[in-house]
C-alpha cells in the first residue's frame, strides 16, 4: 500500500469527529525499513534535508514561501517524496526552524548539527539538539521548533 495514503487515512479516521478546518497539519517523515529503500516525505512547510555521499541536499517541494499557503493532511495536496537506496543522515525540521534559515543555506544547519552530535550517544545528541532549540535565535521564536535527526 502507498505510505502517504495510509498516513492520510489514519489521520482522517483518527480525527473524524473534528471539522477539517480545525485539524490541518503538515507532515515530514524519514522511513528506512530493513532491507528496503529510504523514503523521505514532506507535505506542507518545514524542511527535509539529507546527506548522501558527502553532499547535502534538500527535498524540493511545490510549497512556495511567499504565497503563505500550507498543504495539509486530508486536504488532497500532493506530497514531495524522495526514494534512495541509501542515505547517511536525514534532518527533518518544522517550519519554525526552516523559515528562520537563509534560503538555500540548509547545508550550514546540517553541518552544525553534524559537528555537535557526531560520535555521541542518542541521549547526548538529543540533549544537545534540545539545548540548541531552547536557545534558538529566531525573531520571537513562537512557532513550533522541532528537529529530528535520522541515521538510516
Amino acid at each position: 500500500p502507498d505510505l502517504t495514503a495510509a498516513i492520510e487515512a489514519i489521520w482522517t479516521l483518527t480525527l473524524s469527529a473534528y471539522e477539517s478546518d480545525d485539524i490541518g497539519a503538515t507532515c515530514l517523515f524519514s522511513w528506512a525499513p530493513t532491507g528496503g529503500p529510504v523514503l523521505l516525505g514532506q507535505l506542507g512547510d518545514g524542511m527535509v534535508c539529507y546527506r548522501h555521499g558527502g553532499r547535502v541536499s534538500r527535498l524540493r517541494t511545490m510549497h512556495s514561501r511567499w504565497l503563505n499557503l500550507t498543504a495539509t493532511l486530508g486536504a488532497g495536496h500532493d506530497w514531495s517524496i524522495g526514494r534512495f537506496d541509501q542515505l547517511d543522515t536525514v534532518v527533518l525540521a518544522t517550519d519554525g526552524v526552516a523559515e528562520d534559515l537563509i534560503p538555500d543555506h540548509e547545508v550550514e544547519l546540517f553541518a552544525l548539527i553534524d559537528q555537535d552530535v557526531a560520535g555521541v550517544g542518542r541521549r547526548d545528541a538529543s540533549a544537545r539538539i534540545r539545548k540548541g532549540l531552547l536557545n534558538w535565535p529566531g525573531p520571537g521564536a513562537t512557532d513550533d521548533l522541532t528537529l529530528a535527526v535520522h541515521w538510516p
Side-chain angles (χ1 to χ4, degrees):
D2 180 66
L3 180 59
T4 58
I7 291 170
E8 297 237 16
I10 292 168
W11 177 261
T12 303
L13 286 172
T14 303
L15 299 170
S16 62
Y18 300 94
E19 293 294 323
S20 61
D21 289 347
D22 295 333
I23 61 168
T26 60
C27 184
L28 308 170
F29 70 81
S30 174
W31 185 48
T34 303
V38 180
L39 299 176
L40 306 178
Q42 179 172 353
L43 178 67
D45 47 15
M47 178 182 76
V48 177
C49 286
Y50 55 92
R51 185 178 57 227
H52 179 39
R55 180 177 174 191
V56 175
S57 300
R58 181 175 182 169
L59 187 65
R60 293 294 165 197
T61 67
M62 296 174 56
H63 171 74
S64 176
R65 292 174 71 150
W66 63 271
L67 287 176
N68 199 24
L69 298 174
T70 300
T72 58
L73 287 165
H77 296 284
D78 290 332
W79 288 74
S80 297
I81 300 292
R83 180 185 177 104
F84 305 90
D85 290 331
Q86 182 179 358
L87 292 175
D88 303 321
T89 309
V90 178
V91 173
L92 309 170
T94 58
D95 62 323
V97 173
E99 290 177 359
D100 278 352
L101 300 176
I102 298 169
D104 299 319
H105 285 262
E106 301 86 11
V107 175
E108 286 88 345
L109 175 65
F110 207 96
L112 286 171
I113 292 170
D114 241 8
Q115 286 173 348
D116 203 35
V117 300
V120 303
R122 188 180 311 173
R123 182 171 282 152
D124 286 341
S126 180
R128 289 177 183 194
I129 290 171
R130 187 177 314 112
K131 181 179 178 183
L133 292 174
L134 288 172
N135 295 312
W136 191 254
T142 58
D143 204 348
D144 176 36
L145 299 174
T146 303
L147 274 173
V149 181
H150 180 205
W151 292 276

